[in-house]
Amino acid sequence: MTLSESSAGTARSALPFEAAIAALNAAGSVTIVCHVQPDADTVGSGLALALVLERRGIPVRVSFAEPAELPQSMRTLPGVWHLVPPADVPDQVDLLIAVDCGSAGRLGALAGRMDGAATTLVIDHHRSNTTFGDVNLVDPDAESTTAVIARLLEAWGEPLDAVVAHCLYAGLVTDTGSFRWVRPGTHALADRLLATGIDGPEIARTLLDTHPFAWLPMLSRVLGTARLEPAVRDGTGLVYVFVRRADETGVGSEEVESVIDIVRTTTEAGIAAVFKESRTVEDRWTVSLRSRDSGPGMCDGVDVAAVATALGGGGHRYAAGYTAYGDPEGIVAALLAVLG
Ligand code: MN
């Protein structure tokens, strides 16, 4: 049984696997670019592909524009030796693959490398994907980009071994919120990955349940800024918090990214936002948005990808983000204006 057959009952979009495989087979070398502020899905996707290409004897490098260092929780992923600093990615490359990026902007300072590539392949699962590659392997129904890559490897006839499965599982367990946001076929894929002998509990613990002590006082300060706007979007409600630069002292990106998963559980709000102040640029904020599909007294789930897109970002229906500029009052007002 193939993976696509195992999710029968749900229409799967026909993806151009043949064109993607032709591009991979024709490549003399491959450059894989992950999105800025990388998560385990983009890094797991990049490293899984790199490990397969290494196995096939194809020169490969993986990079992301910022931050300068890989987040702590991802440093034990197999294949990290393929990571190179963005400055080491030449202007002219053969095949460039963007993984888990909804738009070229998500490549940050490496976006320009798209122009210097002989061929570009986009592998992604964001609904807002702009199909910015020569070949676009984009499945908005996929749980993670690593799930798309699992199907690509199957179509390519590349077997799953434990190191590749480790990377794919990293994206699957994190992007599904530890298997909360699942669909028919999700657990079948997890089963195939676990059958290679990988340590699923250890991978999840490393990626999701490991934080320095400084995380606890940081949460105390940040959650103390929480505000509830119950009238937003016809009573759906918005809850939001601020993570100021000073709050980020002593913690990593994993700790900052964990905040939205607490805030979004608020019963009285169908929409959650976290405003994260840039560590380097004055008045720049990264904004995470989440919505629930339904709830007591609420309308059907708000499409936060549409909200984020209206504010210059993008994402998934229930999880999206954008970049905002200005003071806290101004950026909240801008979000409220779009939400209505
Ligand atoms: Mn993803």
Side-chain angles (χ1 to χ4, degrees):
M1 187 170 69
T2 66
L3 187 62
S4 49
E5 282 165 353
S6 72
S7 51
T10 317
R12 299 297 292 260
S13 41
L15 299 184
F17 285 115
E18 292 309 316
I21 290 163
L24 285 160
N25 284 334
S29 69
V30 178
T31 300
I32 303 168
V33 184
C34 307
H35 63 69
V36 292
Q37 311 302 330
D39 61 16
D41 191 28
T42 194
V43 174
S45 294
L47 296 181
L49 272 179
L51 289 162
V52 170
L53 290 160
E54 179 188 22
R55 199 161 72 190
R56 293 175 65 96
I58 308 295
V60 59
R61 64 170 79 86
V62 185
S63 193
F64 53 87
E66 59 176 298
E69 297 208 322
L70 187 67
Q72 181 69 38
S73 64
M74 298 168 213
R75 291 182 192 169
T76 51
L77 288 175
V80 286
W81 56 87
H82 290 296
L83 286 166
V84 302
D88 290 1
V89 178
D91 290 337
Q92 308 288 323
V93 298
D94 187 11
L95 174 61
L96 184 144
I97 307 178
V99 286
D100 201 41
C101 299
S103 64
R106 294 286 287 154
L107 305 182
L110 285 168
R113 301 299 199 284
M114 296 287 295
D115 303 326
T119 311
T120 57
L121 167 61
V122 168
I123 306 178
D124 188 33
H125 68 131
H126 291 91
R127 191 163 299 281
S128 60
N129 191 286
T130 58
T131 62
F132 58 101
D134 297 325
V135 180
N136 298 283
L137 212 54
V138 180
D139 181 0
D141 296 323
E143 306 87 336
S144 62
T145 296
T146 61
V148 182
I149 289 175
R151 290 173 67 198
L152 171 64
L153 296 182
E154 186 173 53
W156 199 10
E158 279 294 329
L160 285 176
D161 59 19
V163 289
V164 172
H166 184 147
C167 292
L168 298 180
Y169 192 84
L172 187 66
V173 72
T174 52
D175 265 30
T176 59
S178 306
F179 300 100
R180 290 184 189 89
W181 308 300
V182 292
R183 60 190 307 285
T186 307
H187 291 94
L189 173 57
D191 184 57
R192 284 178 60 213
L193 300 174
L194 290 164
T196 65
I198 59 171
D199 189 341
E202 174 65 17
I203 294 169
R205 192 187 62 75
T206 302
L207 290 169
L208 293 159
D209 286 341
T210 304
H211 298 288
F213 177 76
W215 181 56
L216 302 176
M218 181 274 265
L219 283 179
S220 170
R221 290 191 302 271
V222 166
L223 297 179
T225 70
R227 294 288 178 272
L228 179 66
E229 299 277 358
V232 162
R233 196 55 79 100
D234 301 322
T236 301
L238 168 71
V239 62
Y240 63 89
V241 304
F242 286 93
V243 181
R244 306 303 294 250
R245 189 173 299 167
D247 299 322
E248 300 185 27
T249 306
V251 300
S253 60
E254 295 92 335
E255 285 67 50
V256 175
E257 295 311 311
S258 75
V259 171
I260 189 71
D261 285 323
I262 300 169
V263 175
R264 67 171 176 76
T265 61
T266 305
T267 306
E268 295 89 340
I271 308 161
V274 174
F275 297 94
K276 296 165 282 187
E277 188 176 19
S278 167
R279 294 188 194 205
T280 52
V281 182
E282 211 59 41
D283 286 337
R284 187 177 82 180
W285 304 77
T286 308
V287 188
S288 297
L289 295 176
R290 297 290 184 275
S291 75
R292 272 203 299 276
D293 52 0
S294 61
M298 292 170 193
C299 317
D300 273 354
V302 172
D303 182 356
V304 288
V307 174
T309 301
L311 291 158
H316 307 287
R317 181 175 175 88
Y318 301 120
Y322 63 98
T323 303
Y325 298 87
D327 56 34
E329 297 72 29
I331 58 175
V332 169
L335 174 60
L336 290 172
V338 171
L339 285 172

